[in-house]
Amino acid sequence: MIASAAAAVTITPSGVNPEFAQAVSAGLSRKGQKTLPASWLYDEVGSALFEVIAVLPEYGLTRADGLLLARAAAEIVRASNHPKLVIELGSGTGMKTGHILAAASRSGPVRYLPIDISGAALDNCARVLDGMEHLQIEPVEATYLDGVDRAIAGRRPGEHVLLLFLGSTIGNFNRTEAAVFLRRVRKRLQPGDFLLLGADLVKSRARLLSAYDDPIGVTAAFNLNLLARINRELDGRFDLAHFAHEARYNERHSRVEMHLRARIAQEVRIGELDLCVSFARGETIWTESSHKFRAEEIPRMGERTGWSCVRQWVDGEWGFAETLFQTK
Ligand code: AVJ
């Protein structure tokens, strides 16, 4: 059952999302490395493309995450004291979370609050999970921390929380940002609450590069869609043929970086921003970082930010870890 519709995002009369406009304007006006935040990759098209990425043979991350959750769901629910309130950062497609929710709702009603800035993602998630017995779905259309505030505000007496942050979205933050984020999340929760964190592990450069630059070009389309989205929503004039998808492995930071490389020198107008952006030939826009972790590093990261590690489950085949924390 879907209890309440997602709240609407603010849009100006022209239909432009001001946060998107602001992010694009700031990221493309920068001197030096141009950037676009990865969170804007997920409009309706981007979310659909990510679902395809998730089933590519080269991209084992989502499969490993799902497999671990399927195998460990009952243990996770037991180890987190049978939570009645499950909050998720990023709604994903709801598929992976289904294992946890099914195990949690076996012993009675569970409220599930997925938090996402993408209304499209929330709709998909609700559709996938709709009809599960004893499950009440209350989507929250918001940024993560605002969403946690809103979700927690409706907490009922005696209800403890299992907060899910799956799929290695934590990897989009650099290590400092990740620690800050975990501490901020912790501050919003109470003693006795839990966090389940999914994180992709360090693996060979070759496996990582084929996962982020797949042979049929789905990841390239996913990355280029960000420019197409600027064209659609902000009256941008990007010629997508003049940009190339690039995945790099940065060993020092153990992260994969996605870039869009200008194939030729060019100037691109973005009508709604009243902005003209110049690109030198070979210049890139940095669109995403996916940090990769060593398994031992994850409990330590939690311990430093107000959490104690309860347990960790590792998939050794692909290299992925689910780590369960409790508030310290
Ligand atoms: C959904 C953020 C975990 O970083 O691997 C997939 C997104 N980017 N291919 C990731 C993504 C390129 C993905 N996350």
Side-chain angles (χ1 to χ4, degrees):
M1 171 177 50
I2 303 165
S4 64
V9 278
T10 331
I11 49 170
T12 60
S14 65
V16 169
N17 177 340
E19 279 130 34
F20 182 49
Q22 171 54 35
V24 171
S25 168
L28 296 187
S29 312
R30 285 171 59 151
K31 296 230 175 298
Q33 176 69 63
K34 293 181 171 67
T35 59
L36 286 170
S39 55
W40 299 105
L41 288 163
Y42 303 90
D43 65 347
E44 202 176 350
V45 175
S47 299
L49 287 168
F50 179 69
E51 280 186 47
V52 180
I53 292 173
V55 296
L56 292 174
E58 293 82 11
Y59 188 84
L61 190 157
T62 309
R63 244 181 329 274
D65 193 16
L67 214 78
L68 274 173
L69 294 177
R71 282 201 210 118
E75 285 171 23
I76 291 166
V77 164
R78 212 179 314 122
S80 56
N81 296 336
H82 302 272
K84 295 288 159 215
L85 179 55
V86 178
I87 302 173
E88 183 167 17
L89 304 177
S91 65
T93 62
M95 283 270 274
K96 294 178 297 184
T97 317
H99 301 296
I100 304 275
L101 295 173
S105 59
R106 207 152 287 146
S107 56
V110 167
R111 290 199 297 137
Y112 171 54
L113 282 70
I115 301 169
D116 210 296
I117 52 164
S118 161
L122 287 169
D123 289 347
N124 286 337
C125 164
R127 204 171 317 117
V128 168
L129 294 172
D130 195 21
M132 192 182 286
E133 230 196 321
H134 289 141
L135 186 69
Q136 182 169 323
I137 309 172
E138 303 169 28
V140 181
E141 190 168 326
T143 58
Y144 290 155
L145 293 174
D146 287 350
V148 173
D149 284 336
R150 266 157 63 182
I152 292 296
R155 180 201 281 256
R156 294 167 192 170
E159 225 175 25
H160 73 281
V161 171
L162 171 60
L163 184 76
L164 305 173
F165 196 21
L166 305 176
S168 204
T169 304
I170 186 86
N172 285 167
F173 295 124
N174 68 39
R175 283 173 167 76
T176 308
E177 292 166 344
V180 169
F181 183 76
L182 289 178
R183 195 171 291 119
R184 287 190 177 151
V185 168
R186 162 63 190 94
K187 287 219 177 95
R188 285 163 166 82
L189 297 179
Q190 289 177 3
D193 289 338
F194 292 86
L195 165 70
L196 185 69
L197 183 66
D200 202 24
L201 303 182
V202 173
K203 48 191 60 70
S204 78
R205 173 185 293 268
R207 284 178 93 192
L208 285 171
L209 290 181
S210 69
Y212 287 85
D213 193 4
D214 63 274
I216 61 172
V218 186
T219 311
F222 175 67
N223 198 5
L224 285 161
N225 176 57
L226 197 44
L227 301 184
R229 181 179 186 177
I230 294 172
N231 289 351
R232 291 190 292 264
E233 296 185 20
L234 302 177
D235 188 26
R237 306 293 160 82
F238 280 101
D239 182 340
L240 270 55
H242 292 162
F243 283 86
H245 166 68
E246 193 173 290
R248 303 179 191 165
Y249 186 56
N250 183 327
E251 191 111 42
R252 196 160 86 81
H253 296 281
S254 51
R255 68 178 177 222
V256 178
E257 299 173 4
M258 284 206 315
H259 291 257
L260 290 163
R261 179 180 292 282
R263 296 179 192 268
I264 55 168
Q266 59 198 288
E267 301 220 314
V268 180
R269 224 191 104 65
I270 303 174
E272 287 288 349
L273 304 179
D274 203 16
L275 179 73
C276 194
V277 187
S278 330
F279 292 89
R281 176 165 179 258
E283 184 180 357
T284 72
I285 310 171
W286 185 2
T287 51
E288 186 187 54
S289 296
S290 289
H291 288 79
K292 305 302 168 189
F293 301 87
R294 279 164 280 109
E296 334 76 73
E297 175 186 0
I298 302 161
R300 270 194 269 123
M301 183 164 67
E303 299 280 350
R304 277 189 275 110
T305 54
W307 301 91
S308 30
C309 179
V310 177
R311 221 180 132 177
Q312 187 176 61
W313 294 262
V314 174
D315 172 80
E317 206 171 306
W318 171 258
F320 194 92
E322 312 287 355
T323 311
L324 182 66
F325 294 100
Q326 188 167 27
T327 51
K328 246 204 287 235

